[in-house]
């Protein structure tokens, strides 16, 4: 079969296990699970035809190269075999200096050429070929990383190193890399990756570390534990070591310490057993348990509550992955190293596990019906790693020395055979029923508690309702009994009464019965009587009906006549009004005629006198002219009347006219006072009238007369006379103020008030009379008249106040008066302020002047401020249409320190 370079041996048939029937004692077979089509569908290649050959002819792309991914995705279950060449060590460098290495590697083709002799080589293909230069990192990534990843996904995985002692198994797997981190071996790197990927809150990582020597399994984490038994789950075939110490790993540092501890124990054990570590197998087992989140197993229930329930009842899904790292004992035959002085039996025992492993692999590779898994503890432990459900990577280590060609060859062959073994990966997923049970226990307890609470509440409620019901029933019973008693009493009473009535009736009946006999006689008479009465009643009713009819017709008539009477009344009223008008006119004429009569009587006297004196009796003007003057239609009544008055005054004589003021006839009196008033309107007559006692008479008339016309006319005359200072004093001394006040109090006509107010206003202008006037109530009288809102009256009142204020101001200036204004004392200020801006200009003017006068004296300033007069003054000084008043107001304001201070205080710029 030798061939030149490039002639590969055997390799055309790979994985010849396909389609074979598995033996009963064989571990899980590649094809036992039809759910893995990737494996099932693989083309079969002459199954069993070359089973005898462990070699394989490599062909490019046949093992992961080419079409499929580098991770052999097409053959996921096959044992992955990587070969690693150790560099020459110091000794070899010297000893083998003249010799070439026994192997030549072609990593780019994943091939290894084994030099059989100087002219012949065999070529083998592996999943990866790692040269002496391969870094530890690369070795990890190529050999172990895929396995670690699948462990994290919930599969079992195995990484093992097989090779002659001294070829670097321990270097590859177990270097801690303490001096140089780049040296870290597979174990350290695997744990790093695992810890980086798990979540320690929900996941757990725990480790056992064991040594297998002469079929005895020792716990490297607890040296006293030196015969640990292997337990197989008959159902799942899972292997477990219940006696082994399991240490939970939470960080890399504690893991490294654990490894060191294990190593120390291994060293001690080997010393004790007088052996070398190369004779024993070291096994590190890493258990990774992960909770799977976000997956919803077939528990899905649509309904709301049921979903919640289902969620809470759903056990956590746990994925369990187990990584087994095996540093196998040296593969060299034991007899070679007899130096250790073992007996043959011992040597057999030492090698038992390894050779059993080889046998199993051979059986698997050759698809043998029998795989002797149970022959050794190692094969029992690793039954899952070869031909089981684990993902397995095998690194075979070889040395370069040609002196060990034999061992190297057998190692390579082991690797080649192992490559033919396929595994059936199986996800290790299970539900965490324990924690679910715990959770359910808690829930159950809570439900029991809740139930108890509800039960209690329910019982309480029942009790409450029962009590309520009982009290309601007893109440109802009570009220029923009461009602019954009441009813009973009522009926009893009624019964007694009716009995009594019946008895009475009976008595009466008895009586009537005896009377009836007598009555029988008189009944006939009674009937006759009644008939008579009835007929009388009937006729009365008829008469009443008749009466009613009559009355109704009368009412209708009355209504008609009432309507006509109404119109009659209207007519009469009209007539009456006409009459009144005519009467008024006639009265005017009468007064005129009376004047004429006066004149005529005067003329008659005169004529008589003249005749007595022998003068002609004709009076100038004559009757005709007088008559014509008296006529109302005379046009020049103004001058004409005045002239006639003058005339009258001249002709009749003042005394005569004044005497008529006391005439018997009221009309004459009225007329006379009118004449006097007319005369008094003329200044030239005034003195004469006063001298003749006219003023006194006029004042007396105010007191004696009840006639308002007389009052009005007299007051007008007095007002005229009161323009003179002497007359003013006279009026005052004759009690004029009280007379005028009285007149005002009784007046109904505003014109009367106007005259009275005018008279007082005139008096107010007298400096000497100030106190007296005020003392007799003159100011009060004036203010009393403002009740009548007639502007003529108000104008006179305002004039009076202005006059008074002017006099006071004058008196104060002259030092004749101290103390505040009597006007203010008598309460005139509010009215003054109120009317300071009256729309009638006569009123406004007088008040504006009054305010200026009042303000000219500091004694009044406070009152003026509080009374609001200050504002009016300011307004007057700014807005008054008359310039002189504006100026006066301004001057007044600026000359008053108090008013100025107040304006400043109010921040009014003045
Ligand atoms: P084994 O465990 O197979 O008996 P070791 O791992 O103990 O072999 O290696 C034997 C010696 O070779 C050790 O000194 C080790 O450091 C060294 N060695 C092994 N492999 C390598 C390597 N790839 N590079 C450098 N030195 C190595
Ligand atoms: Mg070793």
């Amino acid at each position: 079969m030798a061939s030149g370079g490039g002639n590969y041996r055997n390799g055309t048939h790979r994985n010849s296990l396909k389609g074979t029937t598995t033996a009963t004692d064989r571990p899980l077979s590649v094809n036992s699970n039809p759910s893995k089509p990737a494996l099932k569908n693989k083309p079969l290649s002459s199954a069993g035809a070359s089973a005898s050959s462990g070699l394989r002819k490599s062909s490019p792309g046949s093992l992961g190269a080419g079409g499929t991914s580098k991770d052999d995705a097409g053959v996921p279950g096959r044992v992955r075999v990587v070969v690693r060449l150790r560099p020459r060590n110091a000794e070899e460098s010297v000893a083998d200096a003249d010799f070439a290495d026994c192997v030549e590697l072609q990593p780019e083709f994943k091939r290894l050429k084994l030099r059989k002799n100087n002219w012949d080589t065999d070529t083998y293909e592996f999943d990866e070929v790692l040269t002496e230069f391969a870094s530890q990192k690369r070795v990890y990534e190529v050999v172990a990383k895929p396995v670690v990843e699948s462990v994290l996904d919930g599969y079992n995985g195995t990484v093992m190193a097989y090779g002659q002692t001294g070829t670097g198994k321990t270097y590859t797997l177990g270097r801690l890399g303490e001096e140089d981190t780049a040296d870290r071996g597979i174990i350290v790197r695997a744990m790093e990756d695992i810890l980086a990927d798990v979540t320690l809150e929900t996941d757990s990582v725990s480790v056992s570390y064991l040594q297998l020597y002469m079929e005895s399994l020792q716990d490297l984490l607890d040296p006293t534990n030196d015969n640990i038994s292997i337990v197989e789950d008959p159902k799942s075939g899972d292997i477990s070591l219940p006696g082994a110490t399991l240490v939970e790993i939470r960080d890399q540092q504690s893991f490294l310490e654990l490894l060191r501890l294990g190593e120390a124990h291994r060293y001690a054990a080997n010393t004790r057993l007088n052996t070398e570590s190369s004779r024993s197998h070291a096994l590190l087992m890493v258990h990774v348990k992960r909770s799977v989140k976000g997956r919803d197993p077939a528990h899905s229930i649509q309904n709301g509550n049921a979903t919640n329930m289902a969620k809470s009842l759903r056990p956590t899904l746990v994925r369990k992955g187990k990584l087994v790292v095996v540093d196998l004992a040296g593969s060299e035959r034991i007899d070679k190293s007899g130096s250790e002085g073992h007996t043959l039996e011992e040597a057999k025992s030492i090698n038992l596990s390894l050779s059993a492993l080889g046998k199993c692999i051979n059986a698997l590779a050759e698809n043998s019906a029998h795989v002797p898994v149970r022959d050794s503890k190692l094969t029992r432990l690793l039954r899952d790693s070869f031909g089981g459900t684990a993902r397995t990577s095998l690194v075979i280590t070889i040395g370069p020395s040609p002196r060990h060609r034999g061992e190297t060859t057998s190692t390579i062959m082991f690797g080649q055979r192992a490559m033919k073994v396929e595994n059936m990966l199986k996800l290790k997923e299970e539900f965490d029923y324990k924690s679910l049970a715990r959770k359910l226990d808690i829930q159950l307890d809570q439900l029991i508690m809740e139930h108890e609470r509800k039960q209690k509440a329910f019982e309480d409620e029942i009790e409450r309702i029962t009590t309520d019901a009982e009290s309601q029933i007893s109440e109802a019973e009570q009220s029923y009994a009461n009602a019954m008693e009441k009813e009973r009493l009522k009926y009893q009473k009624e019964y007694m009464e009716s009995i009594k009535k019946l008895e009475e009736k009976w008595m009466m009946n008895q009586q009537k019965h005896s009377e009836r006999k007598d009555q029988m006689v008189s009944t006939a008479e009674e009937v006759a009587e009644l008939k008579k009465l009835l007929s009388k009643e009937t006729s009365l009713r008829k008469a009443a009906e008749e009466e009613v009819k009559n009355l109704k017709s009368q009412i209708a008539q009355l209504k008609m006549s009432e309507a006509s009477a109404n119109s009659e009344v209207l007519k009469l009223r009209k007539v009456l009004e006409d009459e009144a008008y005519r009467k008024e006119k006639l009265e005017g004429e009468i007064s005129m005629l009376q004047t004429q009569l006066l004149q005529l009587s005067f003329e008659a006297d005169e004529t008589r006198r003249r005749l007595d004196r022998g003068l002609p009796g004709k009076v100038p003007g004559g009757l005709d002219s007088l008559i014509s003057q008296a006529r109302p239609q005379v046009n020049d009544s103004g001058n004409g009347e005045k002239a006639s008055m003058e005339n009258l005054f001249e002709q009749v004589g003042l005394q005569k006219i004044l005497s008529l003021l006391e005439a018997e006839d009221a009309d004459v009196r009225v007329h006379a006072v009118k004449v006097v008033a007319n005369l008094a309107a003329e200044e030239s007559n005034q003195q004469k009238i006063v001298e003749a006692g006219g003023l006194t008479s006029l004042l007396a008339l105010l007191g004696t007369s009840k006639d308002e016309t007389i009052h009005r006319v007299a007051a007008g005359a007095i007002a005229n006379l009161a323009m003179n200072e002497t007359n003013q004093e006279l009026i005052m001394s004759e009690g004029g103020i009280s007379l005028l006040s009285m007149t005002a109090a009784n007046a109904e006509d505003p014109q009367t008030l106007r005259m009275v107010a005018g008279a007082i206003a005139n008096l107010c202008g007298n400096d000497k009379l100030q106190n007296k006037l005020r003392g007799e109530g003159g100011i009060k009288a004036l203010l009393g008249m403002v009740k009548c809102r007639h502007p003529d009256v108000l104008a006179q009142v305002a004039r009076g106040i202005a006059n008074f204020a002017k006099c006071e101001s004058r008196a104060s200036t002259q030092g004749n008066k101290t103390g505040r204004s009597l006007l203010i004392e008598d309460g005139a200020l509010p009215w003054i302020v109120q009317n300071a801006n009256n729309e009638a200009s006569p009123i406004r003017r007088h008040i504006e002047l009054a305010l200026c006068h009042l303000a000219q004296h500091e004694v009044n300033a406070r009152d003026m401020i509080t009374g609001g007069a200050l504002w009016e003054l300011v307004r007057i000084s700014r807005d008054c249409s008359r310039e002189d008043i504006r100026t006066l107001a301004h001057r007044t304001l600026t000359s008053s320190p108090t008013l100025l201070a107040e304006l400043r205080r109010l921040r009014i710029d003045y």
Side-chain angles (χ1 to χ4, degrees):
M1 279 246 231
S3 62
N7 233 4
Y8 306 152
R9 298 175 63 183
N10 251 335
T12 46
H13 56 283
R14 39 169 201 167
N15 307 324
S16 54
L17 293 165
K18 297 283 179 291
T20 54
T21 316
T22 50
T24 42
D25 65 338
R26 209 182 130 180
L28 289 166
S29 151
V30 181
N31 293 321
S32 61
N33 187 343
S35 72
K36 287 280 179 180
L39 299 175
K40 204 177 170 189
N41 293 343
K42 277 182 65 182
L44 300 177
S45 53
S46 54
S50 51
S52 58
S53 169
L55 302 180
R56 50 191 290 164
K57 180 181 169 191
S58 68
S59 59
S62 64
L63 287 169
T68 51
S69 80
K70 71 179 176 80
D71 200 20
D72 279 357
V75 281
R78 187 170 62 70
V79 172
R80 189 179 164 82
V81 184
V82 175
V83 62
R84 185 183 196 187
L85 175 65
R86 172 178 57 72
R88 284 187 178 198
N89 57 29
E91 186 218 317
E92 285 163 345
S93 298
V94 176
D96 302 334
D98 297 335
F99 303 95
D101 287 350
C102 69
V103 291
E104 184 191 323
L105 304 185
Q106 292 182 316
E108 63 278 20
F109 300 119
K110 304 184 179 187
R111 284 178 199 158
L112 176 149
K113 284 185 174 179
L114 180 64
R115 244 183 273 278
K116 284 162 69 182
N117 47 51
N118 282 340
W119 59 89
D120 198 5
T121 59
D122 280 336
T123 303
Y124 302 94
E125 209 166 76
F126 287 93
D127 288 320
E128 206 67 53
V129 169
L130 298 166
T131 68
E132 65 269 42
F133 307 112
S135 69
Q136 291 280 76
K137 181 172 194 285
R138 181 159 151 65
V139 174
Y140 171 73
E141 274 160 6
V142 167
V143 177
K145 198 169 177 90
V147 181
V148 171
E149 279 167 356
S150 83
V151 167
L152 287 167
D153 284 342
Y155 298 94
N156 285 346
T158 309
V159 177
M160 62 178 99
Y162 179 93
Q164 194 186 352
T165 297
T167 51
K169 296 185 294 296
T170 306
Y171 182 89
T172 299
L173 297 178
R175 275 303 270 253
L176 297 184
E178 281 161 314
E179 295 97 45
D180 183 355
T181 47
D183 278 352
R184 283 169 302 150
I186 282 171
I187 288 175
V188 175
R189 288 175 195 266
M191 185 56 80
E192 280 170 2
D193 276 2
I194 289 169
L195 288 175
D197 202 58
V198 298
T199 311
L200 288 170
E201 288 85 58
T202 52
D203 306 340
S204 80
V205 180
S206 45
V207 160
S208 299
Y209 197 12
L210 304 136
Q211 172 172 265
L212 180 63
Y213 178 65
M214 283 181 68
E215 291 308 285
S216 140
L217 202 51
Q218 301 155 4
D219 192 343
L220 289 178
L221 300 179
D222 179 6
T224 57
N225 234 355
D226 59 1
N227 199 7
I228 290 166
S229 52
I230 300 166
V231 176
E232 281 170 53
D233 186 321
K235 268 193 211 149
S236 66
D238 280 350
I239 301 291
S240 62
L241 305 171
T245 306
L246 200 62
V247 176
E248 183 151 353
I249 303 299
R250 304 203 62 84
D251 58 84
Q252 187 69 12
Q253 203 49 46
S254 60
F255 177 62
L256 291 176
E257 272 157 29
L258 204 74
L259 287 180
R260 274 187 224 111
L261 180 76
E263 235 10 83
H265 288 153
R266 193 180 184 193
Y267 178 79
N270 290 341
T271 310
R272 193 172 67 243
L273 295 167
N274 191 26
T275 182
E276 285 176 16
S277 64
S278 63
R279 297 279 151 233
S280 66
H281 313 278
L283 296 107
L284 180 81
M285 292 184 174
V286 184
H287 302 268
V288 181
K289 249 196 232 177
R290 314 191 75 180
S291 299
V292 183
K293 282 171 230 125
R295 268 190 57 180
D296 193 6
H299 282 85
S300 177
I301 296 170
Q302 296 310 313
N303 172 306
N305 277 342
T307 304
N308 287 339
M309 190 64 134
K311 266 185 198 160
S312 69
L313 291 183
R314 189 185 306 148
T316 315
L317 193 62
V318 176
R319 274 185 190 163
K320 289 178 176 174
K322 182 172 78 176
L323 174 67
V324 183
V325 184
V326 192
D327 189 353
L328 290 165
S331 61
E332 67 280 359
R333 268 200 280 271
I334 190 79
D335 51 332
K336 261 196 169 180
S337 50
S339 57
E340 287 165 40
H342 293 294
T343 63
L344 189 61
E345 280 311 303
E346 276 174 338
K348 267 186 189 166
S349 181
I350 287 165
N351 264 345
L352 179 67
S353 277
L354 201 59
S355 55
L357 178 66
K359 278 179 201 157
C360 284
I361 289 192
N362 284 345
L364 286 165
E366 287 164 14
N367 202 17
S368 163
H370 178 69
V371 181
V373 190
R374 298 185 181 282
D375 285 5
S376 76
K377 284 201 170 156
L378 182 66
T379 48
R380 281 173 70 197
L381 277 170
L382 296 180
R383 63 175 288 179
D384 198 35
S385 305
F386 288 100
T389 57
R391 178 183 279 268
T392 302
S393 271
L394 173 69
V395 60
I396 58 167
T397 54
I398 54 172
S401 172
R403 284 175 291 146
H404 298 301
R405 184 180 287 115
E407 291 301 336
T408 304
T409 304
S410 82
T411 301
I412 287 167
M413 288 315 183
F414 181 87
Q416 284 289 294
R417 283 192 296 277
M419 278 184 79
K420 291 180 182 171
V421 178
E422 285 199 33
N423 285 354
M424 179 61 224
L425 294 190
K426 218 168 128 189
L427 191 61
K428 302 278 183 183
E429 231 174 32
E430 62 182 42
F431 290 111
D432 188 355
Y433 287 105
K434 265 190 201 162
S435 62
L436 176 64
R438 258 201 316 279
K439 215 151 106 191
L440 285 175
D441 262 357
I442 293 167
Q443 273 185 11
L444 184 64
D445 276 348
Q446 277 171 350
L447 284 173
I448 287 169
M449 265 151 60
E450 183 64 12
H451 174 72
E452 196 185 1
R453 273 198 288 273
K454 281 194 178 147
Q455 180 77 27
K456 182 79 179 71
F458 177 71
E459 280 167 7
D460 291 351
E461 185 63 12
I462 291 280
E463 203 178 307
R464 193 185 62 74
I465 289 169
T466 310
T467 325
D468 278 5
E470 276 169 8
S471 73
Q472 272 172 22
I473 286 169
S474 77
E475 255 170 46
E477 278 174 356
Q478 186 62 46
S479 65
Y480 176 71
N482 290 346
M484 281 294 280
E485 182 62 20
K486 222 160 122 189
E487 279 293 282
R488 197 181 63 76
L489 287 171
K490 196 177 130 198
Y491 283 121
Q492 204 172 29
K493 203 172 145 200
E494 277 173 12
Y495 175 73
M496 295 302 286
E497 270 167 12
S498 56
I499 292 278
K500 215 165 121 191
K501 269 185 199 152
L502 280 171
E503 277 175 358
E504 274 167 11
K505 254 188 201 161
W506 186 78
M507 291 283 284
M508 261 160 69
N509 278 345
Q510 286 293 99
Q511 218 174 354
K512 270 186 193 159
H513 191 68
S514 64
E515 279 172 6
R516 194 159 292 165
K517 282 174 203 156
D518 314 336
Q519 278 178 356
M520 289 293 255
V521 187
S522 61
T523 305
E525 288 168 24
E526 261 176 45
V527 166
E529 184 79 5
L530 281 171
K531 268 183 187 167
K532 224 161 50 187
L533 273 171
L534 188 68
S535 74
K536 202 172 152 193
E537 282 293 312
T538 313
S539 63
L540 274 173
R541 190 174 60 83
K542 268 183 192 157
E545 276 172 4
E546 199 64 26
E547 187 73 3
V548 166
K549 224 187 258 171
N550 276 346
L551 284 171
K552 270 183 188 164
S553 73
Q554 275 177 23
I555 286 171
Q557 271 177 358
L558 277 173
K559 269 185 186 158
M560 265 160 64
S561 63
E562 191 192 334
S564 67
N566 277 345
S567 69
E568 193 70 11
V569 166
L570 278 174
K571 268 186 215 156
L572 284 172
R573 232 177 238 162
K574 184 90 181 57
V575 171
L576 204 64
E577 276 165 17
D578 289 351
E579 283 298 312
Y581 174 71
R582 236 175 277 152
K583 188 184 155 216
E584 211 172 290
K585 229 162 113 191
L586 285 173
E587 273 174 356
E589 270 172 33
I590 285 168
S591 91
M592 196 53 91
L593 286 170
Q594 276 170 340
T595 317
Q596 285 169 13
L597 184 72
L598 261 170
Q599 203 169 344
L600 282 175
S601 69
F602 172 72
E603 272 174 26
D605 279 357
E606 197 68 6
T607 309
R608 209 181 316 121
R609 266 200 307 273
R610 279 174 183 268
L611 285 174
D612 290 347
R613 276 183 261 152
L615 289 171
K618 200 93 165 107
V619 180
L623 189 65
D624 290 345
S625 68
L626 275 168
I627 289 168
S628 71
Q629 276 176 10
R631 283 196 183 130
Q633 61 265 46
V634 170
N635 284 337
D636 59 346
S637 61
N639 287 336
E641 204 174 326
K642 200 169 150 192
S644 82
M645 287 299 165
E646 297 285 317
N647 223 355
L648 195 65
F649 185 45
E650 287 295 326
Q651 290 170 11
V652 179
L654 192 56
Q655 280 305 331
K656 179 74 184 168
I657 296 170
L658 290 177
S659 70
L660 286 173
L661 287 175
E662 284 143 42
E664 292 270 308
D665 188 334
D667 289 337
V668 174
R669 277 204 307 275
V670 171
H671 193 70
V673 81
K674 282 185 181 169
V675 172
V676 175
N678 276 329
L679 289 172
E682 284 299 315
E683 206 185 330
S684 53
N685 297 332
Q686 287 178 351
Q687 199 181 345
K688 283 179 204 154
I689 291 171
V690 175
E691 279 170 4
L695 182 52
T696 313
S697 301
L698 286 166
L699 286 166
L701 263 184
L702 289 182
T704 53
S705 177
K706 298 267 178 281
D707 189 327
E708 181 153 2
T709 309
I710 290 177
H711 285 171
R712 185 181 72 234
V713 180
I718 293 166
N720 275 333
L721 293 175
M723 301 217 289
N724 173 289
E725 212 172 299
T726 323
N727 293 350
Q728 287 164 356
E729 280 164 25
L730 184 62
I731 290 167
M732 290 301 292
S733 65
E734 302 249 339
I737 290 297
S738 63
L739 286 168
L740 285 165
S741 302
M742 201 176 67
T743 308
N746 296 323
E748 277 169 12
D749 186 350
Q751 289 309 318
T752 312
L753 290 174
R754 179 169 85 107
M755 298 308 173
V756 174
I760 299 178
N762 284 344
L763 296 174
C764 284
N766 190 321
D767 292 308
K768 291 178 220 156
L769 300 177
Q770 293 264 294
N771 287 323
K772 189 164 162 57
L773 179 94
R774 188 252 178 166
E776 285 176 16
I779 294 168
K780 290 254 159 84
L782 260 187
L783 291 171
M785 279 182 272
V786 302
K787 272 204 297 266
C788 164
R789 302 182 160 279
H790 198 289
D792 290 347
V793 180
L794 298 184
Q796 291 306 321
V797 174
R799 187 168 68 84
I801 285 171
N803 278 347
F804 199 92
K806 190 178 174 183
C807 290
E808 274 195 328
S809 158
R810 211 160 30 220
S812 300
T813 315
Q814 291 163 2
N816 296 335
K817 183 181 184 325
T818 52
R820 61 177 192 163
S821 164
L822 298 174
L823 284 169
I824 295 174
E825 295 270 338
D826 277 6
L829 197 56
W831 186 80
I832 294 174
V833 171
Q834 208 177 317
N835 288 278
N837 201 16
N838 195 302
E839 57 194 4
S841 65
I843 304 172
R844 195 166 66 238
R845 291 289 163 258
H846 290 306
I847 290 184
E848 281 167 356
L849 286 167
L851 279 168
C852 290
H853 292 310
L854 286 172
Q856 277 165 6
H857 296 284
E858 283 295 282
V859 275
N860 298 329
R862 264 296 121 210
D863 289 296
M864 297 201 68
I865 289 166
T866 52
L870 176 58
W871 297 115
E872 296 304 332
L873 267 174
V874 171
R875 182 188 59 72
I876 294 163
S877 75
R878 281 174 179 165
D879 300 340
C880 183
S881 59
R882 263 178 59 181
E883 201 196 335
D884 55 337
I885 299 180
R886 257 197 337 262
T887 315
L888 178 63
H890 180 75
R891 212 175 47 226
T892 310
L893 274 172
T894 49
S895 62
S896 163
T898 313
L899 297 183
L900 277 181
E902 176 67 7
L903 287 174
R904 266 199 301 280
R905 192 180 73 76
L906 298 170
R907 291 178 213 282
I908 289 165
D909 201 19
Y910 201 83

